[in-house]
Amino acid sequence: MRIERTLISEEEIATRIADMGAQISADYEGKDLMIVGVLKGAFMVMADLARAITIPVEFDFMAVSSYGAATQTSGVVRILKDLDTEIEGRHVLIIEDIIDSGLTLSYLIRSLRVRRPASLTIATLLRKTGIQRVPLDVAYVGFEIGEEFVVGYGLDYAGKLRNLPYIGILDESSI
Ligand code: PRP
């Protein structure tokens, strides 16, 4: 597995995450905020974004799987780990690493909305431009990207490369 090139550097990620954290802190000032990371991919953005948020915040995690080992979405979403916490009446911010087809978040939003949170909002580091198969209202987007298969900063190929500190484009001929 080889990285063809860096798409978003460590510095660019840090700068954007600082901005997103400041914006989220301002928007939720005085509110009881719970951030929900969608594992596994979101663990890195969750850790960095949480440190850029300056208001009190609680954490929870969900784990879902939509891709298996493939590079294309299957459209099948499985909940592998549900929230530990009740979210009724809470302000919930879901944190994702990437929105591709949008099917994962669309499913998650539908399953969390019935629990009647006070608000339910999405923050994602990356969104692939214009290819969502379902309409999705996303409040915070770090970067709009193209259709390339990206890895690093939480994103994997076949379980690997999540630990890269930047977002890279995988050289698919090296797989
Ligand atoms: C990735 C990513 C999102 C989802 C986005 O997760 O973290 O959850 O795919 O794709 P979509 O918009 O097409 O639904 P994945 O299923 O690869 O699991 P992982 O986070 O454990 O790597």
Side-chain angles (χ1 to χ4, degrees):
M1 278 177 228
R2 239 189 355 252
I3 304 301
E4 197 174 287
R5 64 185 172 92
T6 300
L7 183 66
I8 308 169
S9 71
E10 213 173 331
E11 293 73 24
E12 288 169 318
I13 295 171
T15 303
R16 187 72 189 106
I17 291 225
D19 288 349
M20 291 170 80
Q23 184 66 56
I24 290 166
S25 305
D27 292 350
Y28 287 91
E29 181 73 56
K31 289 185 178 153
D32 183 22
L33 176 61
M34 174 178 296
I35 54 175
V36 172
V38 185
L39 296 173
K40 303 184 182 94
F43 77 96
M44 215 174 270
V45 60
M46 179 85 161
D48 285 343
L49 186 57
R51 280 178 285 187
I53 295 175
T54 52
I55 58 168
V57 64
E58 274 181 53
F59 286 65
D60 207 337
F61 293 93
M62 290 185 81
V64 298
S65 181
S66 61
Y67 279 21
T71 60
Q72 292 292 306
T73 188
S74 62
V76 178
V77 178
R78 279 192 303 145
I79 291 194
L80 307 175
K81 182 212 168 295
D82 205 336
L83 295 173
D84 294 334
T85 339
E86 298 291 331
I87 57 166
E88 183 166 353
R90 310 288 308 272
H91 292 281
V92 176
L93 176 63
I94 302 177
I95 297 180
E96 258 291 21
D97 49 340
I98 187 165
I99 298 175
D100 190 331
S101 69
L103 292 169
T104 305
L105 273 176
S106 163
Y107 178 85
L108 270 186
I109 290 282
R110 269 182 284 129
S111 55
L112 294 182
R113 196 171 276 145
V114 294
R115 303 182 197 180
R116 300 197 296 164
S119 65
L120 187 57
T121 308
I122 299 168
T124 185
L125 181 68
L126 307 175
R127 178 168 63 185
K128 290 196 173 175
T129 304
I131 62 163
Q132 282 74 57
R133 291 202 226 155
V134 281
L136 207 54
D137 193 11
V138 186
Y140 309 97
V141 179
F143 300 92
E144 295 279 355
I145 63 169
E147 286 201 39
E148 309 95 333
F149 190 80
V150 286
V151 292
Y153 199 75
L155 291 146
D156 74 308
Y157 172 71
K160 299 205 170 60
L161 301 170
R162 293 190 199 275
N163 57 315
L164 292 178
Y166 59 90
I167 304 282
I169 294 177
L170 189 64
D171 177 354
E172 297 200 36
S173 70
S174 72
I175 296 170

